[in-house]
Amino acid sequence: MSNVISLPALRVNAENPNHHLWNNNGTWFLHYTVYPTPFTKERIRRSLGTKDLAVARQRRDSFFQHLLGQATPSKTAVA
């Protein structure tokens, strides 16, 4: 599957400051789902390369800001 280029929607739970974060044996990962077509989905997990939660949150926010900056109206959504 190709890289995510566009995002018409990004769901964020404001009550959970660790949304889209997953701790795997001490290392924080970014965990999200893309929907390349209306009938398929793909779960993505990317290492954030840190054991520090504050750094993980910052890297997650930077990653999503970058993706939103690349967004074009399209077929792909992230949850």
Side-chain angles (χ1 to χ4, degrees), residues 10-21 60-61 64 79:
L10 178 61
R11 288 186 274 180
V12 175
N13 181 352
E15 295 177 9
N16 180 6
N18 296 333
H19 65 90
H20 297 292
L21 293 178
R60 172 209 52 205
D61 294 344
F64 284 143

Side-chain angles (χ1 to χ4, degrees), residues 5-67:
I5 301 297
S6 52
L7 307 167
L10 178 61
R11 288 186 274 180
V12 175
N13 181 352
E15 295 177 9
N16 180 6
N18 296 333
H19 65 90
H20 297 292
L21 293 178
W22 173 56
N23 188 316
N24 184 16
N25 294 317
T27 300
W28 287 100
F29 281 72
L30 180 63
H31 181 210
Y32 60 99
T33 304
V34 295
Y35 299 87
T37 73
F39 306 104
T40 63
K41 68 180 177 181
E42 180 180 357
R43 291 187 179 105
I44 309 292
R45 288 189 178 125
R46 299 174 50 137
S47 175
L48 294 171
T50 185
K51 294 181 182 291
D52 185 311
L53 178 57
V55 172
R57 287 175 180 164
Q58 184 178 40
R59 290 180 182 174
R60 172 209 52 205
D61 294 344
S62 294
F63 177 77
F64 284 143
Q65 283 300 324
H66 173 75
L67 285 182

